[in-house]
Each structure stands twice: as C-alpha cells, then as structure tokens.
Amino acid sequence: MTGDTTPADLVADLTLAEKVRLVHGSVDPSGRATGFIPGVERLGIPPLRLVDGPLGVRVPDDSATAFPAPLALAATFDPDLAREHGAALGRETRGAGQDALLAPGVNLIRVPQNGRNFEYLSEDPVLSAAMGARLVAGIQSADVIATPKHYVANGQETHRASVSAAVDERTLREMYLPSFRDAVEAGAGSVMTAYNAVNGVRMSDHRELVGGVLKGEWGFDEFVVSDWYGTEGAAAAANAGLDVEMPGAAPEELHGAMAGGDEEDDGGSGAGGSDGNDGDEGEFDDLPEEIARGMPDPESCERFAETLADAVRDGAVPESRLDDMVTRVLRSMDDVGLLSEGDDRTDGAVNTPEHREHARKVAARGTVLLKNDDGALPLGDRDDVAVIGPNVDEAVLGGGGSSETTPVVSATPIEGIESRAAGDVSVAYGLPPVEGVSMFDLLRGEEGDGSNERDPDLAGAAAAASEADAAVVFVRDAATEAMDRETLRLPGRQDELVERVAAAAARTVVVVNASGPVELPWRGDVDAILANWYPGQAHGDAVASVCYGDVDPGGRLPVTFAPEETYPTVGDERRFPGVDGEVHYEEGVFVGYRWFDADDDRVEGASGADPTYPFGHGRSYATFEYRDANVVAAPETVDAEYRATVTVANVSDRDGREVVQAYVRPPDADGVDRPVRELAGFAAVAVPADEERTVEFALDDRAFARYGDAGWRVDPGEYVVEIGRSSRDARVERIVERRAEA
Ligand code: BGC
C-alpha cells in the first residue's frame, strides 16, 4: 500500500470476486499455513497466512520451539513474562513465514476434564484476562496478528461443534467475556469464534455477541474468523458479523496441497481438515464415537467461496457488509505492516537460543510446589537420585490436536536430572509408557501401536527408590483436543507406582505433568509434589533447575485441585456434558474457587468441600512475611480507584519468588449471591534473601463491581481487601468503604 492509501481505498478498487476471495480460506500453495488468504496481486495485497497455535508454531514437516503450555505460563502469575512469551511466539511465527498466530486460547477453565485445558489459562477471569492480554500485546509487537480464541463459552470438547451453552448474561459478563474484552483492548488483530452455540445460536452466527458485544460495545474493528469448519449458513454468518470463513476448502482439497501427494506424510497442520485426514477420503465418516463427538462436520458448512457472491448479488448480504469484512481484514494486515511498501516488518526466527532459554524459564517458573515436607526439596547436589516413571525418557511437549508442535531439541527428565546431579542417578520405568493421545491419530483410527510396550516392574522401581537418597517420580495424564478426559485420575497404574515408591524410598518427590487438575490420592505418603504441567521441550532441564533449587518454584495454581466429584460440573449431566444438545451453566459465576468457597446454604449444590490445593496455592523454598498493608484511594491522576500496597519480606536465607495476590470480599448485594472472594490483582516478585519488596496493585471499579440488570455496578458497602499467598491464605486484610453512586 502506498502513502496515504487506506484499506477503504483498496476496497473501492476491488471487484466482487476479489472481495470474496479476501474473506475465506483457500489452499496454501506452499502447504505451510493452517489458514490461507491469497491476496490480490494487481493491487499489491499480499497473501495472509494463519498458523497454529498456543504452544508454538505448527508448520507441516517443520520444527519450532515447543513452548510450555499456556496453563504453565499462567501459573507464573507474571504478566510481564506473558508479554515476553507472546513476543517470542510472534517472532517464531514470523520466522516460519506466517502472519497470524491462532493463539492465545483464552477460554475460561470451567470443566476440569476439558481436553484443551492445557491450551487455556485459568479458572479465574481476572488472571485469564491479564495473562491473555499481555500475550496478545507480545504477539502483535512482533508484527503478527494475534487471534484470541474461541469466542465464547467453549468449555468442553465433547460435542464442541454442536453443543449450545445455556448461560445467563451475568455469568457471561463476569466470567467468560472478560478475557476476550481485554484481549481486544490489548490490540488483537483478529478473534476466532467458537464451534459451539450460546443460548441456541451458533457463535459464528451470533449477532448479539459478535456484532453487538465484540464489535459494537468493545469497538473491535478488525476481523472475526470462524473456527475451522465452524460455520453453517454463509449469509447468516456474514450478517451476524463473521468476517472470514476458514479453512474455506474441502478437507480433500487441503489435504492434496498439504501432503504434496505423499500419502504417508503425517506432519500436517491445521485441525479438522488439513491434517489428520491424510490418506483417506471421506475423512470424517466412520470416526470412532469418542472422537466424532468432538469434530465439526465439513459437509454442513456452507462456504463463502460458493455462495457469498450470489448472496451479495441477491441482496441477502448487503455489499456494504462485504466491504466492511474486507476492510477489517486489510486493517488487521496493515496494522502488522503487511500492506506497507517494502515490508519492513520485524524479522522473526524459529528455535533461537533466546527462545529456547525463554521456554526453559517459563517451564521452571510455572512449576508449582504443592507440598514440601521437612525441606524434602531442593535436592542436595550430591544426593543419589532414582528417576522413576513410565515416561522419563521423553519430554512432555503438550497435548494432542492443533497445538502440537515439533521441537528441534528437547530435554527428557532423565537427561535433565543427569546433567545436574553430582551424585549417582539410577533410572526405573516401573510401568509401560503412558501414551499421549492425539486427535490426529484418533482421526486416522490409530491408537498407540504398542511398539513401546514394556512389562510393569513395580518391584524394580521400589528397589531403585530404596537405594537412593531421593526418588523423583514423574507421572502424567494424557489429553487432546476433540475429547475430554474421562477422569481426573492418572492413567494406568501410576498411582500404584507412586505408592510403591513412597513406601520404599527415604524421600519421595513426585513431578506431575498434567493438562489441568488431577487427583493425587497418595499425596499424604510423599514428601514433595511439583505440578509441572505440560512443560514443552525444556521439560527435564526445567524440572532439574527447580528440584536442585537453582530456580525458586514461582508457580501458583491457576486452577483448583479438588476431588473430582466436588467440582460443580461433575455428576450432573445437565452441566456437563449436557443433555439434548445443551449444556447448562447452572453454577453461574461459581466456577473454580468461587464454587469451593461458596456457602452451601446460599449457592445450590455447593459442596462446601475443601479443595485439595486451592487456587493461587504454591510454596516457595524461601519464607515470606507480609507487612504494612495499605489500601488508599488513588490520586486522581492514576487510572484506578484504589491503590493497595504491601511489603513482602523474605525472612529466609534463600532468594525467592513470591506471587502476592489480592482478593476482594464484596458485601451482601440485594438478592444477588456473590462469590465470597474474587481475585482483584496480583504481582510476581523476586525477593532476595533477607530483603523486602513493596508491591503495589491498582484496584479499579472492576475489582468491586458485579453485572446486574442495569449493567456493571458497584454496590455501596464495606469491601474487604485480602492480601496474601493464595485464595485460602490471606495474610493481611483492609476494609474499603464504597459509597452509593451519585
Ligand atoms: C481448533 C482451533 C485451531 C483450528 C485450526 C480447530 O479445530 O479448534 O483452535 O486453531 O482448528 O487448526
């Protein structure tokens, strides 16, 4: 684009056919992009290449840095780190020759078994919104379009393409929309709609939530893209506010381009059509029931390529709407420099030393020390260590589906511990490997080929444990897009393995690699537990740096760990997975810790059960004291109502990292049940041994408000600001009086 030419000027020069070409996916001749818009050469509009995903760039037959899962990043509670993380993801995207990243995933974690929880950030809207917004800002800073997804209420994989979420306005506003609102505010160049419907209307057709809330209220003026095969009627979607339909071609067309005729190739990208379909036609027919329940149907998707031009000619879609769709695409491209002459965009690169180091840093910093009895951790340099577990010879890169990445290098648990230990290291697997599940394998009808089988040897594991100073046991779950986990229990006989080891070892440390909450039935029998999520390529190195105390475990739980049956969505089919095509969000705003905190007299069904480990929980190797808390009305110049400050003193002889959390306990509101406490602010801070740091939070109206019939309001009354170490560990409290609004 030259000089003063604007996206609107370009639109004026486009023919109808050219306009339509710019609002739907096509086949990428290079086979690299997950989604591809060809551009219009005669006007100098270049192609737009969209690529998955939240754990790193995913290009067929190519590698890139396999970053830790977003859930691990969220566990750092560190928005600055999220900004750096986004920038690294963005640079990798550019390095792979792509323009838009199909990330971050900012859906709220509602269902603990959701197969994609590892791709998301947390059960709390404030944490999710803060981390998601910084990810977006980071991605866009690398001249890459960020695509927060999946808008909105995509809380489960079972029937994800057809289920309708029945959710009331207050719950949407307080819980599910904030992460999208803040992602838009942070400059996202695109938003992806969810497969599911909300209150009976498909999200790709949702006039009220797409045209109304997203574009109208929040002023989002860039493009809204469908999830892959996530549309139904073209005119309905366009008129509701959808701007781009993806992937825009039939699975077999995409497959042809991707595989380059090589039927054996399975390295493809893009879920739902471009990958996982290799080698067979009629890809979505005859799928095993478990996976079919999570897949969209490409046949029921009316393609913009086939019908949109006619719909505009007939007047079913006003041409002004099509012009707006194109303008939005061009605006978003222009924002990242794609339309500038000479294209002086940021140079990206994949798999740089900086990105590898960043991946290691996040994997270590996001590790949560759930328990540490008698200083079991850190390990002594000279300790003899038994590394035990069915998968200790592989790095847990992530879960299955469109977020799968292929790294150049990775560190297994054995390699990580061996390279750090000065004492002897022995290895025992104990069990056959737990196989990761991949949506793509399931689509191809392949389940593990068993080639990796090995006989269980619990006695051998116990023997190795008994001979070492410490046993470090690695256990894991298995999760994938398109399917929810059946249970929060660890697969196979891993619980038994931990029990056998704990009975034999002098000291037992368990490292849990999980996609979300899992049950830890042996927790009373072991000395230390680390929640290490899906740590990506740096797995072994990151765990070793935490186990030996080179890095203080800075992670805190972004999701509540509790017995499976005590979650609000468990044991009630209406709430999950839904009945007759509808899933009822009847727990309302009482999700995550808001549910576990709820009084059973006031919130129907609340169990009053104590979580195993509460939201925000995580120990440090250091010891902190909280002093001099203060909450004052902010000076007028500051964009916040109140400023909370507290001094955190590290009273130990180790450098540590603390995550200071502020929760607000609202007063009773007329006839409206509010959560006992809601996260209002947080800060991750490094505090050297014997030093102190003063931490400050801004608490704006959002920290006090609820969504009522007349919109957001702050009820008058006394609010308690709790500042502390977790949702269940307040160290200081201050009262704030809010007056009735004038
Ligand atoms: C997923 C999206 C992904 C898209 C493209 C869909 O199945 O839900 O998250 O970006 O495929 O691969």
Side-chain angles (χ1 to χ4, degrees), residues 180-205:
F180 289 97
R181 176 198 62 202
D182 289 10
V184 165
E185 216 170 281
S190 142
V191 171
M192 187 192 293
T193 51
Y195 285 127
N196 53 278
V198 171
N199 297 324
V201 183
R202 289 182 77 84
M203 277 311 303
S204 55
D205 293 358

Side-chain angles (χ1 to χ4, degrees), residues 432-457:
V434 174
E435 295 201 31
V437 278
S438 165
M439 173 178 90
F440 302 125
D441 292 342
L442 294 167
L443 285 171
R444 280 190 292 263
E446 291 168 11
E447 294 204 39
D449 58 7
S451 59
N452 243 344
E453 281 299 337
R454 94 170 64 85
D455 290 333
D457 182 12

Side-chain angles (χ1 to χ4, degrees), residues 34 52 102 116 149-150 160 192 195 227-228 270-271 402 481:
T34 312
D52 279 315
L102 303 171
R116 294 186 88 172
K149 65 188 186 183
H150 312 85
R160 66 170 165 163
M192 187 192 293
Y195 285 127
D227 200 344
W228 270 230
S402 56
E481 175 178 343

Side-chain angles (χ1 to χ4, degrees), residues 62 118 146 177 179 204 216 297 316 318 320 326 410 530 587 610 618 633 686 707 730:
D62 214 343
F118 69 94
L177 290 171
S179 53
S204 55
D297 175 10
S320 59
V326 178
S410 65
L530 290 165
E587 73 289 347
D610 278 334
Y707 195 86

Side-chain angles (χ1 to χ4, degrees), residues 11-32:
V11 173
D13 287 339
L14 292 167
T15 65
L16 178 61
E18 286 168 339
K19 290 178 193 173
V20 171
R21 256 160 65 95
L22 288 171
V23 297
H24 68 80
S26 296
V27 173
D28 174 6
S30 78
R32 288 174 63 82

Side-chain angles (χ1 to χ4, degrees), residues 110-114 477 484-491 495 516-521 523 560-572 575-577 592 595-596 605 607 609-613:
R110 168 177 185 261
V111 172
Q113 308 93 322
N114 180 359
D477 75 351
D484 296 313
R485 280 187 290 158
E486 269 170 33
T487 158
L488 299 188
R489 296 192 78 98
L490 294 169
D495 288 336
V518 281
E519 291 206 334
L520 312 168
R523 65 187 177 282
T560 302
F561 274 41
E564 181 162 342
E565 68 282 0
T566 61
Y567 287 88
T569 52
V570 177
D572 180 348
R575 294 185 180 185
F576 174 74
W595 171 259
F596 289 95
S607 60
D610 278 334
T612 313
Y613 295 109

